[in-house]
Amino acid sequence: MDVMGDKATLLETGRFVQSSDRDEVGEAAEELRLRLAAEAGDVEAMSVLGALLLRRGDLDGAEPQLRAATSAGDRAAANNLGVLLHQRGYADDAAGWWRIAAVAGSAAAAHALGRHHRERGDEPAAEYWLRQSAEQGHALGAYALADLLEHRGDGGAEQWMRSAAERGHREAAYRLARALDRRGAGETDGDNGVADGSEAASPAVEEAEQWYRQAAARGHRRAALHLGAILERRGELKEAGRWYLTSAKDGEARAACALGFLLRDAGDTESAAVWWLRAAQEGDGNAANALGALHAERGETQTAERWYRAAMDAGDVNGAYNLGLLCAEQGRTAQAEQWYRRAAYAGHREAANALAILLLQGGDTAGAEPWFSKAAEAGSVDAAFNLGILFAGRGEDGVALRWYEQAAAAGHTEAALQVGIARLRDGDEGGAERHLRCAAGGGSAEAAYRLATVLDARRPPASAHELGESVHEKSECEEWYERAAGQGHRRAQVRVGMLAAARGDVVEAARWYREAAEAGSRNGAFNLGLLLAREGSEPEAAVWWTRAADAGHGRAALRLALVYARRGELAEGQRWADRAVALGPGEVAERAARLRDALREELSA
């Protein structure tokens, strides 16, 4: 029960004398004046003197003054007498005096009486008196009524919460903001987390921000936390940091943790660690995980493990998952499995996926599958993709495709590639293109190359009879080839080289052929050899053809056979002709066989 239950009423009427700005002499003089007036029978002086003594904690001195004023019909004194008796433990007696004051029109007494009835489980009576208080404009009464109605699930709660907030009640402003935030952002995590919100804030979220501001400005630390989160999502990081700092200094661990992440993203890791430490010491598991990750990055594995354990002890399942990752990196497979299992059983989907991978690597396919399934069903995109791989490896392409599609729909690049390949295989070029574009846009070089080949096949053939010099305009398929080539895709590099050669850009063609060849492409090496031979550099061409032939390129072997035959090195020519026959393809093997026979006859002549 609030001390000085009728304090607001006294302040509003000017009857409650504040002493915060007075010196001791002035206060003593005022008290003496009140005592003299009270002794002279001034009821108002008795009431104010009793209130002053009650606020000071002098219950024995306050009680006779308040009783005397109450007997004379002063409702403020009746309310404060109820407060005094409540402090002494006489709740029923206090309620009697509050009733007298409330009937006489004291909103503060009606609020106190309503709270008294609610504490005793008499909700109808509580609602009656709280409503009396709220309807008189009493902020505490409006808040208590809203709290009671909200507890019942009554839709009228928001009206009174808003009324209390508008009268400056900071907890009401905060709770109203939370309700609006949940309504606007679809959040259901109660007061245990920061609202996630959407990029385009709804009117409800915008209004919530204003109430958060009002509550935060009045020192509500959780309101400051949520206000900081809204501002951070909006990109207003400086102001977000200020509110996080305000909340963190008031002891809000989540704000200290959030401030740490802001500082880390700004490059100030040392300051981030200070706030994470503060939050972790106050039991914030997320901050403990952040500290663990920081020490793990520095190679301080023992300290990292200690903080991960602290996170786990704080109830953050990420602590167990991170311990599993740490053990796996150190090759402590058994311990990694133990921590992954602990996190997975607690519902951590990525831990379930990691556990399944660990089991699969150990050859336990049967044990891995259910964990992949559990993770995928919980929304793990990687697990859905891994299930696709698992079923594809068993030859169950239909089941594999369904999992690939699920992962692709969630934005998994490699899964989109696999769906695209499957669509191509089934002749669905439109579906293939759609998925290949997604995968290529996500950075897959293979998808970019395959998309380019689809587009390339649609290009009309170039006119064989063009007058004048043609102006080359890069097509979309060339752009995708180049993107794949730039990412190191060897076949794309060869194709870009071929397109450059076709338009007469020998230097560009040679650059791409060489890059592909040096990365191990036999076609790149063969084409580079052709380009060099045309430019009169047959010895260097032979070097690249040798590399290509050694990698199994039949045409390169035939070219080498011809080179050595022209040089008169018939035995070497015959050796390469034999190699070309073995490598093929059919047309090459046929030509190489004729050359080999001719060289054999020449050698035996």
Side-chain angles (χ1 to χ4, degrees), residues 314-325:
D316 192 326
V317 70
N318 284 313
Y321 174 58
N322 288 330
L323 275 170
L325 291 174

Side-chain angles (χ1 to χ4, degrees), residues 397-408:
D397 293 338
V399 181
L401 181 58
R402 286 198 295 275
W403 286 112
Y404 285 144
E405 287 173 335
Q406 180 173 317

Side-chain angles (χ1 to χ4, degrees), residues 449-462:
Y449 172 73
R450 288 178 179 266
L451 174 60
T453 60
V454 169
L455 299 173
D456 203 357
R458 296 179 191 163
R459 287 201 306 169

Side-chain angles (χ1 to χ4, degrees), residues 126-143:
E127 182 181 351
Y128 174 81
W129 289 111
L130 291 175
R131 196 174 290 277
Q132 293 295 315
S133 176
E135 287 174 351
Q136 293 179 63
H138 193 273
L140 293 174
Y143 174 72

